[in-house]
């Protein structure tokens, strides 16, 4: 029986944060223990949808690669590679552009959100989900483990794949988004109604970077916005979004049930103890990752060697697929 194939990606658009880790990368590492074929991609072409400084981008790409290996991805259990080193991705994007109606892209929530926050936007920002569709369907991925913010894009990838199949004959599998039940949306600590994000942190304290030092992390968690009450319970009340976020982080890291999490804080007065405990488990999680990161980042040639192995594997699958697309579309 064929193994389930998994594809997911992450942008080198800044330092990896707790949201990326708990919402996505933690699952990727866990997938390696299952009978699955895993492809994890550093989507650097996506990162340039918002113009990047070349020196910074290059550093970010290697730093993210070191971070992914430090989190536990293994070049033996997963294909870990850089998107721009596998040409089929950019080529598939053009071919898929030709079958994607403009209206499908204009209604993407992430495009609308980013458009609001930026002074000028590129055509590539609108096209981001088409490039992402190519990333996924070139590998005939069955599963795409992502945070909740990416669900709409994976659903669009299904629609585009289906449209291509209808127009040119059965070519692609239709992928499924796999969203974790907890940790799927880690919110900004200073603004708990917005998701934690690499590129947008208005007050510079709402995002926990995996490379932040301990004192910065403790300070950010202590300053996390909460409400004026003192009940430490999960709640849908928008007023309690901050407390809910802290409890969610604690829950996904400890692996406890919601009831057990609430029991840990029974009888506590005020949110000080919650913040203290959350800081404690976050630091415990991040410390070993940071130590391994320092090892990977200090050996550039070894890091590049691991990434070359990944790119080679990725080409073996994606190049024949893009040729199949071109043949079916009538190119010679
Ligand atoms: N706050 C979050 N909570 C849970 N999961 C999250 N992810 C991102 N933010 C959160 C998940 O991380 C994976 C990689 O994300 P990405 O780098 O491809 O892009 P993104 O979703 O746009 O993440 P950022 O951090 O907000 O980056 P920028 O600011 O550059 O756009 C995805 O699976 C995502 O769901």
């Amino acid at each position: 029986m064929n193994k389930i194939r998994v594809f997911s990606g992450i942008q080198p658009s800044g330092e990896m944060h707790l949201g990326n880790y708990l919402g996505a990368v933690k699952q990727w590492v866990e997938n390696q223990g299952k009978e699955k074929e895993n492809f994890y991609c550093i989507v650097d072409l996506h990162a340039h949808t918002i113009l990047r400084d070349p020196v910074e981008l290059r550093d970010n790409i290697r730093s993210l690669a070191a971070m992914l290996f430090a989190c536990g991805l293994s070049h033996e259990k997963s294909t870990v590679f850089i998107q721009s080193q596998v040409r089929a991705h950019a080529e598939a994007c053009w071919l898929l552009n030709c079958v994607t109606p403009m209206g499908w892209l204009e209604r993407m929530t992430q495009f609308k959100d980013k458009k609001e926050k930026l002074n000028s936007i590129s055509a590539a920002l609108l096209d981001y989900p088409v490039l992402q569709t190519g990333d996924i369907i070139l590998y005939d991925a069955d599963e795409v483990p992502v945070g909740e913010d990416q669900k709409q894009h994976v659903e669009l990838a299904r629609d585009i794949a289906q449209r291509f199949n209808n127009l040119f004959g059965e070519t692609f599998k239709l992928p499924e988004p796999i969203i974790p039940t907890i940790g799927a949306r880690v919110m900004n600590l200073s603004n708990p109604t917005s998701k934690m994000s690499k590129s947008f942190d208005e007050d510079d304290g709402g995002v926990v970077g995996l490379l932040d030092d301990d004192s910065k992390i403790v300070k950010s968690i202590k300053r996390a916005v909460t409400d004026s009450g003192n009940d430490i319970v999960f709640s849908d009340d928008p007023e309690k979004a901050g407390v809910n976020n802290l409890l969610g982080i604690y829950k996904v890291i400890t692996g406890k049930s919601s009831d057990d999490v609430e029991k840990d804080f029974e009888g506590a007065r005020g949110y000080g103890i919650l913040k203290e405990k959350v800081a404690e488990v976050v630091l415990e999680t991040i410390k070993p990752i940071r130590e391994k990161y320092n090892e990977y980042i200090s050996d550039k040639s070894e890091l590049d060697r691991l990434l070359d192995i990944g790119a080679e594997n990725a080409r073996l699958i994606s190049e024949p697929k893009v040729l199949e697309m071109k043949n079916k579309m009538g190119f010679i």
Side-chain angles (χ1 to χ4, degrees), residues 8-25 27-28 41 43 46-47 50 52 64 110 114 128 132 144-151 153 179-180 183-188 194-200 207:
S8 200
I10 180 163
Q11 296 186 74
S13 47
E15 192 186 321
M16 200 167 124
H17 55 73
L18 198 62
N20 298 133
Y21 179 67
L22 298 180
V25 177
Q27 285 190 83
W28 301 358
C41 184
V43 290
H46 276 100
I50 295 173
R52 304 280 166 192
L64 180 58
Q110 197 176 77
K114 287 194 174 170
Y128 178 115
Q132 186 174 4
V144 187
V146 284
E148 204 175 60
D149 58 311
Q150 289 292 336
K151 183 167 178 250
H153 286 170
I179 317 287
R185 205 170 174 80
V186 176
M187 309 308 276
N188 184 296
S194 292
K195 76 158 190 156
M196 196 176 274
S197 157
K198 292 188 221 80
S199 319
F200 303 103
V207 175

Side-chain angles (χ1 to χ4, degrees), residues 5-9 28 32 36-42 68-69 73-82 86 89 139 306-318:
R5 198 173 274 172
V6 180
F7 182 97
S8 200
W28 301 358
Q32 294 184 141
K36 293 184 178 180
E37 209 181 340
N38 302 296
F39 292 81
Y40 298 120
C41 184
I42 295 172
L68 293 176
F69 290 120
L73 289 187
S74 144
H75 73 286
E76 285 166 344
K77 296 181 186 159
S78 295
T79 296
V80 182
F81 68 104
I82 299 175
V86 180
H89 289 248
Y139 297 87
L306 299 180
L307 293 166
D308 283 346
I309 294 172
E312 197 54 46
N313 280 343
R315 283 185 208 112
L316 286 176
I317 299 189
S318 56

Side-chain angles (χ1 to χ4, degrees), residues 7 21 28 48 53 58 76 99 116 124-125 144 146 160 189 192 213 219 242 279 296 301 310 314:
F7 182 97
Y21 179 67
W28 301 358
H48 246 311
D53 173 70
R58 209 166 284 132
E76 285 166 344
V99 307
E116 291 280 295
L125 189 70
V144 187
V146 284
I160 297 175
L189 297 178
D213 61 42
K219 194 167 152 206
Y296 280 107
S301 59

